[in-house]
Amino acid sequence: MKVAEVWQQFEKKLSGQKELKDLEVLRIEFLGRKGKVNQLLQKITQLSPEKRREFGQEVNQLKRRIEAAIERKKQELRTDLENNLSKEKLDVTLPGQEPNLGHLHPITQMKWEIADIFQRMGFEVLEPLEVNSDYANFEALNIPPDHPARDMWDTFWTREGHLPITHTSSMQNWIYRNRKPPIRAVVIGRCFRNEATDAGHEHTFHQIEGVYVDRGITVAHLIETMRVFFSEFYGRELKTKVRPSYFPFVEPGLELAIECVLCRGKGCSVCKQSGWLEILGCGQIHPSVLKEGGIDPKKHTGFAWGIGLERIIMLRYGIEDIRHFHSGDLRFIRKFK
Ligand code: DAH
């Protein structure tokens, strides 16, 4: 092979090079110890002494041209690489995009918060059976089958005569039978009523039932327990007041009101200018109810209450329609992120 041919071959191969690392392979192929240029040089022995010098110079020149061409190509590829890199560069200082993760439903958040408050006050927190017996929901609470007070709860029934609980009081009897005084328990869970829905009523809603049974428990303990809870929940000291009411499972039965959380007792449209919000039913547990639970009412007394969970959340956030909670409308749900 002649010097010119080796050069041609080299040039052809060089023009097809795209990668820096392949350039090194090419260099070895031509300039390496056993490379094409050295192979060419070995032919020098076949030449007459007078031609050797000229041939030697030619080969050396070829070597330098190849070296220079590789160097140029290297520079070229390097600048290409740099250009591409700067085009594709990521700006790691740009602020990230917040991932669209889910979060807990407002009802769940509030349930946990309320459970936490009562736990700090020494109460055990339970969940109700969502379907229970006539006995648990009514009879054990001093409401026999034909008692007119049953009309207070629009009840769904299963074919077998069970029912989706109409209130979390349905857990009272279980609690009395499975715990020993002092009993401090709170039940937070879903209730169901067969009634038309409007801004203030849902067929599915939540209640917080509470019971406290021990020696010498009075209405004074009840009122103070509620005052502490509501002051914690609404984040400031609130006044309370009670007035007589009727529920078959308490005697006396009471309705407890708190100072309006929106106008702070001054009077507004939510509290109908009264400054007070009637917020829950409560009372001293009826002796028959304690007895039915295996507790001797001569030794122990107690109080119970039932709070509508959605109602107290609505007052805290100024929500005007209870149906938002189960609407599945993400614009509402996401406000509680
Ligand atoms: N269970 C009642 C209801 O759903 C609320 C209630 C009232 C619960 C008085 C009580 C209570 O524990 O003492 O309407």
Side-chain angles (χ1 to χ4, degrees):
M1 206 187 279
K2 296 207 183 84
V3 172
E5 282 170 18
V6 173
W7 173 249
Q8 268 170 13
Q9 205 184 36
F10 169 77
E11 261 195 322
K12 205 169 157 202
K13 287 199 168 179
L14 184 71
S15 66
Q17 294 304 315
K18 298 245 158 23
E19 304 276 348
L20 276 169
K21 61 178 185 334
D22 295 340
L23 222 48
E24 180 58 13
V25 177
L26 189 68
R27 194 189 66 78
I28 292 166
E29 186 184 338
F30 283 85
L31 300 180
R33 207 152 50 83
K34 291 181 182 160
K36 295 228 160 82
V37 174
N38 274 346
Q39 283 167 22
L40 199 61
L41 201 58
Q42 274 164 16
K43 294 198 179 136
I44 208 165
T45 50
Q46 299 161 4
L47 296 175
S48 59
E50 51 282 14
K51 289 204 169 158
R52 283 185 186 181
R53 188 185 146 91
E54 197 188 332
F55 183 70
Q57 279 174 351
E58 259 183 76
V59 173
N60 271 334
Q61 205 185 3
L62 172 68
K63 209 168 150 180
R64 283 196 298 276
R65 282 178 75 187
I66 290 178
E67 275 167 358
I70 287 180
E71 204 44 50
R72 267 200 311 277
K73 188 78 180 177
K74 242 188 218 171
Q75 290 306 333
E76 226 174 81
L77 289 179
R78 275 205 191 111
T79 23
D80 282 356
L81 188 69
E82 275 162 22
N83 285 344
N84 286 343
L85 280 180
S86 66
K87 253 188 258 155
E88 289 167 15
K89 203 165 83 176
L90 288 177
D91 184 352
V92 292
T93 65
L94 279 176
Q97 247 180 19
E98 199 186 348
N100 190 11
L101 298 177
H103 61 93
L104 294 174
H105 189 278
I107 294 282
T108 308
Q109 294 181 29
M110 295 297 128
K111 262 166 69 173
W112 289 8
E113 184 180 326
I114 289 164
D116 192 59
I117 296 174
F118 280 115
Q119 271 167 341
R120 277 185 274 132
M121 291 165 74
F123 286 81
E124 168 190 12
V125 178
L126 303 165
E127 290 195 349
L129 287 172
E130 289 191 338
V131 174
N132 211 330
S133 58
D134 184 316
Y135 176 78
N137 198 86
F138 291 124
E139 283 172 55
L141 292 166
N142 213 16
I143 315 168
D146 296 318
H147 197 288
R150 285 207 176 195
D151 291 349
M152 292 168 76
W153 298 275
D154 300 297
T155 312
F156 291 111
W157 295 94
T158 70
R159 274 193 210 106
E160 297 76 16
H162 293 313
L163 48 90
I165 58 170
T166 63
H167 53 181
T168 41
S169 310
S170 57
M171 286 297 282
Q172 279 200 23
N173 186 262
W174 185 92
I175 294 169
Y176 303 142
R177 295 206 164 270
N178 291 277
R179 298 289 183 271
K180 287 197 179 66
I183 300 172
R184 283 182 295 265
V186 164
V187 184
I188 310 178
R190 285 203 295 181
C191 302
F192 309 87
R193 295 210 189 151
N194 187 1
E195 61 185 18
T197 62
D198 60 31
H201 297 87
E202 259 284 30
H203 49 72
T204 302
F205 59 100
H206 294 72
Q207 277 189 346
I208 309 153
E209 180 83 10
V211 293
Y212 195 152
V213 179
D214 201 358
R215 284 174 192 273
I217 297 296
T218 69
V219 168
H221 298 116
L222 162 63
I223 295 171
E224 181 60 8
T225 304
M226 292 296 98
R227 194 195 61 77
V228 171
F229 167 71
F230 284 110
S231 298
E232 279 290 308
F233 184 71
Y234 289 112
R236 65 190 170 82
E237 291 297 313
L238 288 171
K239 290 197 197 92
T240 57
K241 70 173 185 182
V242 290
R243 65 167 201 191
S245 183
Y246 173 74
F247 299 93
F249 32 90
V250 278
E251 183 58 43
L254 304 167
E255 215 141 83
L256 186 130
I258 57 171
E259 183 190 324
C260 179
V261 293
L262 292 150
C263 64
R264 306 197 169 204
K266 287 189 200 73
C268 66
S269 62
V270 173
C271 62
K272 301 200 183 78
Q273 310 307 328
S274 70
W276 294 97
L277 297 166
E278 259 168 23
I279 216 153
L280 64 105
C282 55
Q284 284 284 94
I285 302 166
H286 198 291
S288 319
V289 173
L290 286 176
K291 223 185 275 170
E292 191 64 30
I295 291 174
D296 181 356
K298 291 205 186 70
K299 279 199 205 139
H300 295 104
T301 54
F303 61 80
W305 76 82
I307 306 173
L309 176 62
E310 281 82 354
R311 173 143 155 83
I312 63 171
I313 301 174
M314 287 163 77
L315 289 169
R316 175 153 138 181
Y317 293 104
I319 298 164
E320 76 297 341
D321 194 322
I322 192 173
R323 291 168 295 191
H324 283 311
F325 289 106
H326 285 145
S327 65
D329 188 339
L330 291 177
R331 290 169 305 178
F332 172 75
I333 303 294
R334 286 197 179 122
K335 295 244 157 70
F336 295 86
K337 202 160 181 173

